[in-house]
Amino acid sequence: MKRIFCIMLIVFSYLPLKAQQENQLNNIIISSLRSYISWNNSLRDRLDLSSLNCYYLCKDGLPLSFPYDSLENIVYGSLENIEGLTSMYKRKLNEGIGFLFVNINLTGANLTITVSGKDVKRIKKRQLHIAIVDWGQYTYEYSCETREWELKQVKYGEL
């Protein structure tokens, strides 16, 4: 009886890890973020601006199972509770921080991931000013044959 219980425990503890590794939505978000960062770095190089050492990514709106360790040179932050932030983070917000925001939109068989670069600055104690700078829009379509999302269209824009 103990053996059966131990085997069942091992099998059931392995299943969530396997499912989390194969999460297509997380893979699509990571791929879209990498593509946007690559485009943004090439844009900055063309404009003779120094490349960023790291990017700030707003984790508000990301899936709960998002693997935060899958992207390098990313600092994750939240804008939901401004007063709960550290004083160093608040000082940076007072000066202004360039944040990346991810928006997920599902319409029929199309999934649109929009990664937008926005300048975020704290102008009052509990008030933020957010201005969009540029964006990348990635449209995926679900294929019933392969049972995967396939990239169909990429659009970039800047202000």
Side-chain angles (χ1 to χ4, degrees):
M1 187 68 171
K2 280 186 175 181
R3 284 185 184 173
I4 294 173
F5 179 72
C6 289
I7 291 171
M8 288 178 51
L9 182 64
I10 291 170
V11 168
F12 286 123
S13 65
Y14 175 73
L15 287 176
L17 294 175
K18 181 81 171 154
Q20 194 172 28
Q21 290 173 350
E22 298 175 3
N23 188 327
Q24 288 185 35
L25 179 59
N26 287 338
N27 292 339
I28 289 171
I29 293 171
I30 291 167
S31 173
S32 299
L33 280 165
R34 285 186 176 145
S35 178
Y36 172 84
I37 289 170
S38 175
W39 171 79
N40 191 273
N41 285 341
S42 69
L43 177 68
R44 293 178 66 80
D45 289 343
R46 279 185 277 139
L47 297 174
D48 286 335
L49 299 172
S50 62
S51 293
L52 294 174
N53 293 335
C54 68
Y55 284 87
Y56 288 89
L57 176 62
C58 185
K59 64 182 182 178
D60 304 334
L62 289 175
L64 293 176
S65 65
F66 187 78
Y68 292 108
D69 60 348
S70 61
L71 293 165
E72 50 282 334
N73 297 326
I74 297 288
V75 176
Y76 296 93
S78 176
L79 298 176
E80 287 186 357
N81 181 12
I82 299 170
E83 291 308 309
L85 300 174
T86 64
S87 59
M88 182 186 79
Y89 201 72
K90 288 179 188 178
R91 274 195 303 274
K92 283 190 175 206
L93 274 176
N94 289 341
E95 297 168 6
I97 299 176
F99 259 92
L100 299 181
F101 288 80
V102 176
N103 183 28
I104 304 166
N105 187 14
L106 178 64
T107 307
N110 291 326
L111 177 69
T112 303
I113 306 290
T114 304
V115 180
S116 54
K118 298 180 182 180
D119 286 334
V120 179
K121 186 173 184 175
R122 189 168 93 156
I123 54 177
K124 290 186 181 177
K125 189 172 183 173
R126 291 189 176 113
Q127 189 175 6
L128 294 175
H129 179 266
I130 301 174
I132 190 163
V133 177
D134 50 32
W135 66 91
Q137 190 174 53
Y138 307 88
T139 304
Y140 296 84
E141 187 175 73
Y142 188 75
S143 169
C144 293
E145 292 83 35
T146 62
R147 292 184 161 186
E148 291 189 6
W149 293 93
E150 299 172 355
L151 182 62
K152 292 297 179 183
Q153 185 178 24
V154 177
K155 292 182 189 176
Y156 294 107
E158 54 187 282
L159 294 176

